[in-house]
Amino acid sequence: MTERKRRKPGETRDKLMNAALELVGKGRHFASLGIREVTRQAGVVPTSFYRHFRNMDDLGLQLVDELGLVLRRMMREARANVLQADRLMDESVAIFISHVQQNRSFFVFMAQGMAGESRAVQEGIRSELRFFASELGNDLRRLRLVDHLNDGDLELTCDLVVRTVAFSLTDLIGVSPEDDYQIEQIRKRTTRFLQLIFVGAAHWRTGEQAPLSS
Amino acid sequence: MTERKRRKPGETRDKLMNAALELVGKGRHFASLGIREVTRQAGVVPTSFYRHFRNMDDLGLQLVDELGLVLRRMMREARANVLQADRLMDESVAIFISHVQQNRSFFVFMAQGMAGESRAVQEGIRSELRFFASELGNDLRRLRLVDHLNDGDLELTCDLVVRTVAFSLTDLIGVSPEDDYQIEQIRKRTTRFLQLIFVGAAHWRTGEQAPLSS
DNA sequence: GCCACTTGTGTACATTCGTTCACATAACGT
DNA sequence: ACGTTATGTGAACGAATGTACACAAGTGGC
């Protein structure tokens, strides 16, 4: 075999992964899914599962890989759309929320996996978040927005930003995808969180901070 | 019945809830636990389960209630030990981590439940976090540490603090409870997160923030 | 054209599951 | 003391589960 070998456009492997995502999107937790359940949702006989995955954890790991692609797409779009720095946070949060809406099941899976059953999936997602924070740091450096921060403090700030956005996932998956009002509230709140963090970063000086003294 | 009626010191109800927690602490995800599995772990016959819970979701809800007690104990200890304001964040994070170590399963359950299967459990945990943030706001007001913030901005800050600490749960449950070095790293990092947030709060002015301008 | 291999299917089996029912026993109100 | 209620037990069921094996069908290389 040389390269692509997908014999049919609708591969069973993709059908199974999509089936798992659909179930997760319908409110089920990934850890509670069974092999038979997934194959049933995919319209495939249970035995086919083993042609592509060793067990459900394996499927979860491959879902994490696809999740990585989704996140990279989102990052690319963010970089393309954030032209002027003064709208950086507004735009970024909006793009994030838009992608969550568009790929809801993927992000629900991500939120579940962070405290999930499989240690490997956990580590995979955390690795994606680390990568995201690292790229964010590069971008901020390139835009010359954080010249007063050393590398360690920049990394700290970006990590906190990524965590804050990731946590807002738990808000987003708690409201109906059509509840535009609630989603707008979450968007505004998340943006304000980031503003608060960046105000902190702007006044941050390496070394001991005089705590709580304004 | 008037008040206490526990016929035996080891009630079956507690045995079941503890059994579920033990399984969660052993790495299992709550959403994947079955009734038989829990009763087996508790050393009880499966039928006994229905004497106390209607289903697993019900047990989860009652676990959330107990989790509330754990959190309130932690809050009380924090209030008692944080005497001088200059060590506020250090002490609070240390107390948090100590309680997580002490009640590991409970907090793993909490981390799982945030993106869990049962909407009711999700809402219960979020409600606990809201309460926690609200109490934190009261304390900061009482200590006169945030006089320059209006109520809305104080609430915003406290929410972000609680989220940040809650997110560090996913770090804590990812390392072995005996890995003191890693835990110390998490403690220091979480503390620095909070310092960053409070530096932001100290320089926060209501209304539009000039983003990223130092 | 043929052979090796990947992929999908059907059947099958032992386990486990959730849930029900009838029955025992201990606790409490009165 | 007695009856009512709460709590625990055992056996049993139908259904669902994970996994194995044998077989069909399509594919690529030669």
Side-chain angles (χ1 to χ4, degrees):
Chain A
M1 75 200 70
T2 56
E3 191 48 28
R4 304 255 153 193
K5 63 171 175 179
R6 44 178 55 204
R7 57 189 71 215
K8 275 190 262 175
E11 282 243 53
T12 303
R13 200 188 94 108
D14 295 352
K15 281 203 281 187
L16 288 170
M17 295 177 72
N18 286 331
L21 279 183
E22 288 164 23
L23 290 169
V24 165
K26 285 214 170 312
R28 302 290 314 278
H29 196 291
F30 183 80
S32 77
L33 297 183
I35 289 177
R36 286 188 109 100
E37 195 177 3
V38 173
T39 57
R40 196 182 313 126
Q41 172 80 17
V44 172
V45 89
T47 335
S48 289
F49 183 90
Y50 297 97
R51 298 294 184 189
H52 307 275
F53 313 101
R54 294 212 315 282
N55 46 45
M56 282 299 293
D57 276 9
D58 189 19
L59 192 154
L61 273 182
Q62 307 205 29
L63 274 181
V64 172
D65 290 343
E66 268 206 37
L67 174 67
L69 300 180
V70 174
L71 292 180
R72 267 150 251 255
R73 265 200 299 277
M74 182 174 80
M75 205 156 55
R76 198 172 319 126
E77 178 171 341
R79 273 200 258 256
N81 284 56
V82 174
L83 304 170
Q84 64 268 40
D86 60 329
R87 301 265 305 150
L88 187 145
M89 282 174 276
D90 255 332
E91 292 277 5
S92 300
V93 173
I95 288 172
F96 167 72
I97 290 188
S98 150
H99 275 246
V100 172
Q101 298 275 73
Q102 209 169 334
N103 290 339
R104 195 154 222 272
S105 305
F106 257 118
F107 286 93
V108 174
F109 169 76
M110 172 172 161
Q112 290 181 354
M114 299 227 35
E117 186 157 48
S118 156
R119 188 61 57 102
V121 168
Q122 256 177 72
E123 193 45 49
I125 293 178
R126 292 155 66 80
S127 163
E128 294 291 340
L129 291 189
R130 270 196 305 271
F131 175 73
F132 212 91
S134 150
E135 290 292 300
L136 175 60
N138 291 340
D139 287 357
L140 292 184
R141 272 268 186 265
R142 183 147 30 82
L143 294 172
R144 316 223 44 159
L145 291 168
V146 287
D147 285 344
H148 64 296
L149 290 182
N150 65 28
D151 286 351
D153 292 336
L154 174 60
E155 196 260 347
L156 186 82
T157 304
C158 292
D159 191 7
L160 182 54
V161 166
V162 169
R163 282 161 182 257
T164 301
V165 175
F167 200 101
S168 74
L169 264 183
T170 64
D171 300 320
L172 280 172
I173 69 183
V175 307
S176 156
E178 300 96 6
D179 193 341
D180 291 338
Y181 174 75
Q182 291 268 23
I183 291 171
E184 176 65 9
Q185 294 300 112
I186 294 171
R187 191 193 66 74
K188 283 200 283 216
R189 195 167 181 79
T190 305
T191 304
R192 287 211 290 164
F193 284 147
L194 297 196
Q195 286 173 343
L196 184 54
I197 293 171
F198 275 106
V199 169
H203 294 84
W204 181 268
R205 296 295 175 268
T206 305
E208 294 312 302
Q209 299 289 320
L212 282 182
S213 69
S214 87
Chain B
M1 78 199 71
T2 58
E3 191 48 29
R4 304 254 153 191
K5 64 169 172 179
R6 43 178 56 203
R7 56 189 71 213
K8 274 189 262 175
E11 283 243 56
T12 302
R13 199 189 95 108
D14 295 352
K15 280 204 281 188
L16 288 170
M17 296 178 71
N18 286 332
L21 280 183
E22 287 164 23
L23 290 170
V24 165
K26 285 214 171 315
R28 301 289 314 278
H29 196 291
F30 183 80
S32 77
L33 297 183
I35 290 177
R36 286 189 109 100
E37 195 178 4
V38 173
T39 57
R40 197 181 313 128
Q41 173 80 18
V44 173
V45 88
T47 331
S48 289
F49 183 89
Y50 298 97
R51 298 293 185 193
H52 307 277
F53 314 100
R54 295 211 314 282
N55 47 43
M56 283 299 292
D57 276 10
D58 189 18
L59 191 152
L61 273 182
Q62 306 206 30
L63 274 181
V64 172
D65 290 343
E66 269 207 39
L67 174 66
L69 300 180
V70 174
L71 292 180
R72 267 150 251 257
R73 264 200 300 275
M74 183 175 78
M75 204 157 55
R76 196 173 319 125
E77 179 171 340
R79 273 201 257 255
N81 284 56
V82 175
L83 305 170
Q84 65 268 41
D86 60 331
R87 300 264 307 150
L88 186 145
M89 282 175 276
D90 255 332
E91 291 278 5
S92 299
V93 173
I95 288 172
F96 168 72
I97 290 188
S98 149
H99 275 246
V100 173
Q101 298 276 73
Q102 209 168 334
N103 289 338
R104 194 154 222 271
S105 304
F106 256 118
F107 285 92
V108 174
F109 169 76
M110 172 172 160
Q112 291 181 354
M114 298 227 36
E117 189 157 48
S118 157
R119 189 60 58 101
V121 167
Q122 257 177 71
E123 193 45 49
I125 293 179
R126 292 155 66 78
S127 162
E128 293 291 341
L129 291 189
R130 271 197 304 273
F131 174 73
F132 212 91
S134 149
E135 290 292 300
L136 174 59
N138 291 340
D139 286 358
L140 292 183
R141 274 267 187 266
R142 182 149 29 82
L143 294 172
R144 315 223 45 161
L145 291 169
V146 287
D147 285 344
H148 64 296
L149 291 181
N150 64 28
D151 286 352
D153 293 335
L154 174 60
E155 196 260 348
L156 186 81
T157 305
C158 292
D159 191 6
L160 182 54
V161 166
V162 169
R163 282 161 183 258
T164 301
V165 175
F167 199 101
S168 74
L169 263 185
T170 64
D171 300 320
L172 279 172
I173 68 182
V175 307
S176 156
E178 298 96 8
D179 192 342
D180 291 338
Y181 173 75
Q182 291 268 23
I183 292 171
E184 176 64 10
Q185 295 299 114
I186 294 172
R187 191 194 65 74
K188 282 200 283 215
R189 193 166 182 80
T190 304
T191 305
R192 287 210 291 163
F193 284 147
L194 298 196
Q195 286 172 343
L196 184 55
I197 293 170
F198 274 107
V199 168
H203 294 84
W204 181 267
R205 295 297 176 266
T206 305
E208 294 313 300
Q209 298 289 322
L212 284 182
S213 68
S214 87

